[in-house]
Amino acid sequence: MKLSTKARYASRALVDLALQYGKDPVKLKDISARQDISLKYLEQVMYPLRVCGYVKTQKGSKGGYILARSPKEVTLLEIVECVEGSISPVECADNPKLCKRADCCSTHLAWVGLKDAIVRELGKITLADLAGKHLLLNK
Amino acid sequence: MKLSTKARYASRALVDLALQYGKDPVKLKDISARQDISLKYLEQVMYPLRVCGYVKTQKGSKGGYILARSPKEVTLLEIVECVEGSISPVECADNPKLCKRADCCSTHLAWVGLKDAIVRELGKITLADLAGKHLLLNK
DNA sequence: TATATATCCTATAACTTTAGTAGAAAAAGC
DNA sequence: GCTTTTTCTACTAAAGTTATAGGATATATA
């Protein structure tokens, strides 16, 4: 039940971008330095976030990344699911047809409940929340 | 954020045992057949559950496994943690010292919240709940 | 006491995922 | 044209997952 480093790095990178929201594009090199994440790896982490529309990019000199949506509108749930795929702890919670026992299996119900709890928790945390907390912790 | 098959198999095996609670020892061979889990793999899954004291065993002919505690007292959280280790989605939620950023990192707080949500959800589901649901679903 | 049965324990192997490196192409600003 | 930065693909090493296999040990019963 571990979160991948990709999901953790993506979350930290987007909080970093949220703190610069409305300003000039942010170079990955800078995020890489601030967050202690390899630039080359960070590039790969950002890729799906751009495809999903969470960030926009500008190439070349003076280029970089900017948040494509308001920090208030982006939740951790979206970020994690964009990078990792479904947050569901078991395949059958997303698609009961994958398991022939799903309709008579009491643990199936429990895993669905677990998934719902995770979705509720991550779905209520926005980048704006995290950016605000960051400012509190680092003032 | 996937649950391992070991955790899922362990849960199903213990629900199976809960349904026979108070009766004779149950052979792994029977659980294996009912649950469609390889006998040899199931042996490995059960091993930590015995070490943690969730099941007792009797060797030899007429032997098998029995639940060592009342189904009402055993939660999914305990089962998953026994088999997988900590349920925490990130190492730093269990031990902040593992990450030097922990005390100034807003995502750290979010992951701790996520862990708490998971612990709350799995901690409230007992084997008795699951056995009861099983009987409802299969009557 | 011999036999059948079941658990116990360790080793190993195939497969998948994770985490990261590398390099070159493409675009943009100066 | 040069520098900077993103873009895209390929590759690799290490770790984790999901099993299978075989023999040792213990127990009930004939």
Side-chain angles (χ1 to χ4, degrees):
Chain A
M1 282 285 290
K2 286 285 175 286
L3 223 46
S4 67
T5 58
K6 268 194 169 129
R8 290 184 286 115
Y9 288 177
S11 303
R12 281 164 55 196
L14 290 199
V15 172
D16 196 303
L17 284 182
L19 287 164
Q20 322 279 329
Y21 186 59
K23 301 183 184 168
D24 287 341
V26 180
K27 286 179 284 184
L28 229 44
K29 204 175 170 182
D30 292 344
I31 300 182
S32 159
R34 274 194 294 268
Q35 301 293 333
D36 250 330
I37 301 171
S38 134
L39 173 63
K40 289 306 245 177
Y41 196 41
L42 198 50
E43 286 177 359
Q44 288 183 60
V45 169
M46 300 306 284
Y47 185 84
L49 295 171
R50 185 175 55 81
V51 173
C52 293
Y54 296 111
V55 297
K56 284 183 180 166
T57 56
Q58 193 185 331
K59 282 188 178 182
S61 168
K62 299 275 177 186
Y65 285 72
I66 53 170
L67 216 53
R69 303 193 198 169
S70 160
K72 288 182 187 171
E73 293 169 353
V74 181
T75 67
L76 273 187
L77 177 65
E78 294 173 280
I79 298 168
V80 173
E81 290 212 313
C82 171
V83 169
E84 285 199 357
S86 169
I87 193 75
S88 178
V90 290
E91 304 262 333
C92 62
D94 284 325
N95 185 1
K97 289 180 182 169
L98 289 177
C99 177
K100 62 179 177 182
R101 308 177 105 78
D103 56 343
C104 60
C105 173
S106 60
T107 60
H108 172 77
L109 296 173
W111 307 140
V112 170
L114 174 58
K115 178 192 169 182
D116 290 347
I118 294 171
V119 165
R120 269 196 309 276
E121 180 66 23
L122 290 185
K124 78 181 182 196
I125 303 174
T126 68
L127 286 179
D129 296 333
L130 294 171
K133 285 260 172 58
H134 176 87
L135 292 175
L136 274 178
L137 289 171
N138 293 274
K139 74 177 176 187
Chain B
M1 284 284 290
K2 286 283 174 286
L3 223 45
S4 68
T5 59
K6 269 196 168 126
R8 290 185 284 114
Y9 287 178
S11 303
R12 281 163 55 197
L14 289 200
V15 172
D16 196 301
L17 283 182
L19 288 164
Q20 322 279 327
Y21 186 60
K23 301 183 186 171
D24 287 340
V26 180
K27 286 178 285 185
L28 230 45
K29 203 174 170 182
D30 292 344
I31 301 182
S32 159
R34 274 194 294 269
Q35 302 292 333
D36 251 330
I37 301 172
S38 135
L39 173 62
K40 288 307 243 176
Y41 196 39
L42 199 49
E43 285 178 359
Q44 288 185 59
V45 169
M46 300 306 283
Y47 185 84
L49 294 172
R50 185 174 56 79
V51 173
C52 292
Y54 296 112
V55 297
K56 285 183 179 166
T57 55
Q58 192 183 332
K59 282 187 175 181
S61 166
K62 299 276 178 184
Y65 285 73
I66 54 170
L67 218 51
R69 303 193 197 168
S70 160
K72 287 181 186 170
E73 293 169 353
V74 181
T75 68
L76 274 187
L77 177 64
E78 295 174 280
I79 297 168
V80 173
E81 291 213 312
C82 171
V83 169
E84 285 199 357
S86 170
I87 193 75
S88 178
V90 291
E91 304 263 333
C92 62
D94 284 325
N95 186 1
K97 289 181 183 169
L98 288 176
C99 178
K100 62 179 177 184
R101 307 179 107 77
D103 55 342
C104 61
C105 172
S106 61
T107 60
H108 172 77
L109 296 173
W111 306 141
V112 170
L114 174 58
K115 179 194 168 181
D116 290 346
I118 293 171
V119 165
R120 269 195 309 275
E121 180 66 23
L122 290 185
K124 77 182 183 195
I125 303 174
T126 68
L127 286 178
D129 296 334
L130 293 170
K133 286 260 173 57
H134 176 89
L135 293 175
L136 274 176
L137 289 170
N138 293 273
K139 74 178 177 188

